[in-house]
Amino acid sequence: MVGIGTKLTLAEFLALPDPDIYCEFVDGEAVPKVSPKFFHSSLQGALCRLIRVWCKGRGRVLPERAILLKRQDKD
């Protein structure tokens, strides 16, 4: 168990149980990810389109997605 004010190692972060809230590993801390708003989603879409044109023939460009579906409180 990790105490308050103690930084997590990457191994400790990866070993955390799956929470209902997704977290990112930032400077040794598990920081909850915030759901993107309309402006963020619009900007992400525009950037993906621009990068996709530049990247044609070099690879693929996809937006990040994290979807958690539950039915009757079960995954």
Side-chain angles (χ1 to χ4, degrees):
M1 183 168 164
V2 178
I4 296 173
T6 304
K7 299 258 182 185
L8 295 170
T9 65
L10 179 57
E12 290 170 331
F13 173 76
L14 294 174
L16 291 173
D18 289 335
D20 289 336
I21 299 172
Y22 290 101
C23 293
E24 295 177 310
F25 184 64
V26 179
D27 294 328
E29 296 181 21
V31 179
K33 290 181 80 171
V34 179
S35 180
K37 304 294 184 243
F38 179 77
F39 177 75
H40 177 274
S41 297
S42 298
L43 183 60
Q44 181 185 33
L47 288 172
C48 278
R49 285 188 293 277
L50 288 172
I51 296 170
R52 192 173 290 131
V53 169
W54 174 84
C55 195
K56 192 167 187 162
R58 297 182 180 129
R60 297 187 307 176
V61 178
L62 300 169
E64 177 185 11
R65 298 209 173 144
I67 300 171
L68 178 63
L69 301 176
K70 290 188 173 188
R71 179 177 289 176
Q72 298 174 352
D73 292 326
K74 296 179 184 176
D75 290 347

